[in-house]
Amino acid sequence: MIELPEATTIARQINAELQGKRIAEGNRGSSPHKFAFYNLLPEEYAAILKGKTIGEATVNGSCILVSIEPGHTLILGTGGERIVYHRSAASLPKKHQFFLHFTDATYLTVTVQGWGAALLLRQSEVAGHRFVNLEKPSPLSDDFTTDYFLGLFAALEKDDSSSVKFFMISKPGVLGVGNGCLQDILWRAKVHPRRRAVDLTKAEQRRLYAALRESLQKMVEGGGRDSDYDLYDHPGGYRRVLHSKVVGQPCSRCSAPIEKASYLGGAVYFCPKCQT
Ligand SMILES: [Zn+2]
């Protein structure tokens, strides 16, 4: 699933590779997919995309907002989209859910894995769209300060029963952080995913802040996590600390065997000894 590090990587690659390219034809995909979400009819996608030019790509959380000039914005990256650039037709997949053919005979395809979306909005519709959140600061921005993060904890009711996992990825949530990025963040912070958020000490809150920033920075610098793919269909260079293949293996910090549990609609991986 695309989260902030992958969205940032792909947006950067779109700006370097695709910006300025003219769309000869585009459509919302050759293959029906139960969990691929669109906002317009196929013929409307085709009519809007034809003759338009790729503008700048920006990131909002895990969403990639690609300017389709003039006047429109393509939103990708809300889920498990595989967004791939093709230098020729030779590497085109048979099935895809979104397709652009550029006038220089290069292509962009989006195939949805699990679920995902390719929305084509008018630029004026972007700010109010439910996938877009312009209120929260990006966790890597200067506005995402220690005070801001500690303020989120301070706003919790004393009897709030939500866990750190819920706090980080749902409510209040950190923009662009989902269950994927979360695992290494909590490992670095030495915090257990099931711990009640309201019980974290100030020192632990600060440690979590530092771990969040450090982990996301490393993931962005690596070009995304090794579980996911970039615009060139290459896996990201950030090697995850915790994932399914290390279950039962010794924690690299304390040697206790790594555990896995199902929790809040997704697997969590943790060290039962040093994450408390
Ligand atoms: Zn450990």
Side-chain angles (χ1 to χ4, degrees):
M1 300 286 274
I2 293 177
E3 294 182 17
L4 182 136
E6 293 72 41
T8 304
T9 300
I10 293 170
R12 194 164 54 205
Q13 293 172 328
I14 287 174
N15 287 332
E17 191 75 67
L18 302 185
Q19 201 171 359
K21 282 187 191 272
R22 192 147 181 267
I23 300 166
E25 63 161 325
N27 64 56
R28 64 169 222 187
S30 64
S31 179
H33 190 293
K34 208 168 158 188
F35 298 107
F37 300 104
Y38 307 103
N39 63 317
L40 296 171
L41 296 170
E43 54 269 31
E44 294 175 309
Y45 274 76
I48 290 168
L49 291 167
K50 192 177 175 63
K52 296 282 197 302
T53 301
I54 301 291
E56 191 186 11
T58 58
V59 173
N60 180 257
S62 61
C63 287
I64 304 159
L65 279 55
V66 187
S67 176
I68 304 291
E69 295 173 354
H72 286 78
T73 299
L74 174 67
I75 300 187
L76 302 169
T78 59
E81 301 88 347
R82 190 87 162 251
I83 303 163
V84 180
Y85 173 63
H86 307 269
R87 289 201 170 85
S88 77
S91 62
L92 288 176
K94 278 203 182 74
K95 294 180 176 181
H96 43 74
Q97 279 73 48
F98 183 80
F99 173 81
L100 293 177
H101 173 194
F102 300 110
T103 54
D104 63 356
T106 61
Y107 304 83
L108 180 81
T109 59
V110 178
T111 51
V112 169
Q113 302 184 326
W115 58 274
L119 306 180
L120 193 54
L121 304 181
R122 286 198 185 85
Q123 269 165 13
S124 58
E125 297 170 329
V126 173
H129 196 274
R130 65 188 175 92
F131 286 165
V132 177
N133 189 325
L134 301 175
E135 309 296 316
K136 285 185 188 174
S138 163
L140 286 178
S141 71
D142 293 343
D143 293 337
F144 197 96
T145 59
T146 317
D147 284 350
Y148 168 80
F149 190 64
L150 267 55
L152 300 179
F153 281 95
L156 292 172
E157 300 287 341
K158 280 194 171 53
D159 60 351
D160 191 306
S161 62
S162 57
S163 64
V164 171
K165 172 172 172 174
F166 186 82
F167 178 90
M168 293 293 283
I169 72 172
S170 294
K171 195 171 170 225
V174 176
L175 211 54
V177 172
N179 193 53
C181 293
L182 181 71
Q183 311 304 322
D184 285 9
I185 293 169
L186 295 185
W187 181 82
R188 284 201 175 88
K190 301 183 191 175
V191 171
H192 195 287
R194 289 187 200 264
R195 181 94 174 273
R196 282 207 327 171
V198 77
D199 291 339
L200 261 64
T201 64
K202 280 274 186 309
E204 287 172 323
Q205 294 170 18
R206 287 178 185 280
R207 213 160 69 203
L208 183 54
Y209 174 82
L212 169 66
R213 298 267 283 194
E214 183 192 345
S215 300
L216 291 178
Q217 196 65 51
K218 284 191 155 112
M219 290 168 185
V220 167
E221 282 167 7
R225 290 165 291 142
D226 57 0
S227 52
D228 287 73
Y229 293 83
D230 69 6
L231 189 69
Y232 302 99
D233 215 19
H234 299 144
Y238 173 83
R239 294 181 58 142
R240 291 165 299 154
V241 178
L242 295 185
H243 54 89
S244 60
K245 297 211 169 60
V246 300
V247 175
Q249 304 286 319
C251 169
S252 60
R253 192 165 47 210
C254 78
S255 300
I258 297 298
E259 291 185 8
K260 174 190 179 181
S262 280
Y263 183 52
L264 297 181
V268 287
Y269 303 96
F270 54 91
C271 171
K273 192 174 167 197
C274 67
Q275 284 179 253
T276 56

